[in-house]
Amino acid sequence: MTAIRGCFVLFIISLSFFLFSCREAEMIAYDLYHWDDYLFGDPGTSQRGQRTRRTQAGRDPYDIPDIFTDEERHAVRLLNDIREQQGLAPLRFNAGSALQKAALTRAREISESFSHTRPDGSDCSSVLAEFGLSFRSTGENIACGKDIGPERVTKMWRTSSGHYRNMVEPTYKEVGLAAYRGKGGRVYWVQIFLTR
């Protein structure tokens, strides 16, 4: 089923790039990605199913510079504004935390392979164990696009039922939120929600 799903989405995205301008195709691809979440369920949520992943020899997983701190903080404020409107507690955010570094790791990974599955084939939640984090529940939202800033990415997530559900999940207490600028001006965004 996963192979059929992936082929179908890739076919539609390719067709949209052929028929429309890049900007229109990008929005169609975005809409299809969210339609895909609705139709097949959001694979970015995990309950206790964490797997471990070994780090590469000699690599310190905590040595990751944070280059978009102002944008990330603004995106967290927007996220917590949405939660406040729903009568929910704000999510804790610490720019230097292991959770934030895990989010930046995932943002870099989705620049290689835009998926809730990591490039090594493991579940997205396995990044948490890599940074020494345990959890009771976790969720992940991802997005990408050319020069997408905090307001636009928050709006994209808010208008998608699966992503919005992660944003307003009352049991989540913390968030790691990262943006990574890839090739061609594309920005890759990740929200990792956590309950310990």
Side-chain angles (χ1 to χ4, degrees):
M1 182 64 156
T2 302
I4 293 170
R5 171 183 161 198
C7 290
F8 176 74
V9 171
L10 286 176
F11 169 76
I12 297 299
I13 291 170
S14 298
L15 181 64
S16 66
F17 273 102
F18 176 74
L19 296 174
F20 302 101
S21 71
C22 287
R23 188 146 205 45
E24 290 169 325
E26 185 176 286
M27 290 311 296
I28 290 169
Y30 164 76
D31 290 340
L32 283 170
Y33 177 75
H34 293 296
W35 175 75
D36 181 51
D37 280 349
Y38 174 77
L39 189 61
F40 296 103
D42 183 10
T45 302
S46 177
Q47 300 290 330
R48 282 204 184 266
Q50 76 185 70
R51 295 184 214 162
T52 59
R53 180 174 184 258
R54 296 175 190 241
T55 59
Q56 296 173 349
R59 179 178 158 249
D60 177 2
Y62 296 93
D63 185 24
I64 299 175
D66 188 343
I67 57 174
F68 289 115
T69 302
D70 291 339
E71 285 187 324
E72 291 162 350
R73 286 180 197 271
H74 183 58
V76 170
R77 279 192 295 275
L78 294 171
L79 168 62
N80 280 330
D81 287 348
I82 291 168
R83 289 179 63 86
E84 184 180 320
Q85 292 167 8
Q86 298 301 313
L88 300 170
L91 297 171
R92 289 188 305 273
F93 171 75
N94 180 336
S97 71
L99 181 56
Q100 178 62 15
K101 292 173 182 177
L104 186 54
T105 296
R106 286 293 297 136
R108 288 179 176 178
E109 288 178 352
I110 65 170
S111 74
E112 300 169 24
S113 174
F114 189 76
S115 172
H116 291 291
T117 302
R118 298 182 73 187
D120 70 356
S122 63
D123 183 77
C124 60
S125 64
S126 69
V127 74
L128 298 171
E130 186 175 320
F131 285 89
L133 297 165
S134 59
F135 62 92
R136 285 188 297 154
S137 64
T138 185
E140 177 182 78
N141 286 345
I142 60 176
C144 73
K146 190 160 178 70
D147 298 318
I148 292 180
E151 290 88 3
R152 183 167 175 214
V153 74
T154 301
K155 182 178 180 182
M156 289 167 62
W157 281 327
R158 187 175 187 165
T159 58
S160 162
S161 61
H163 295 90
Y164 181 71
R165 190 170 41 251
N166 277 341
M167 294 167 75
V168 296
E169 172 57 49
T171 61
Y172 292 144
K173 305 298 180 199
E174 301 172 63
V175 67
L177 195 151
Y180 175 73
R181 188 168 297 276
K183 295 177 183 174
R186 294 187 72 78
V187 182
Y188 297 86
W189 286 88
V190 172
Q191 290 175 323
I192 299 178
F193 302 93
L194 189 67
T195 303
R196 294 178 197 246

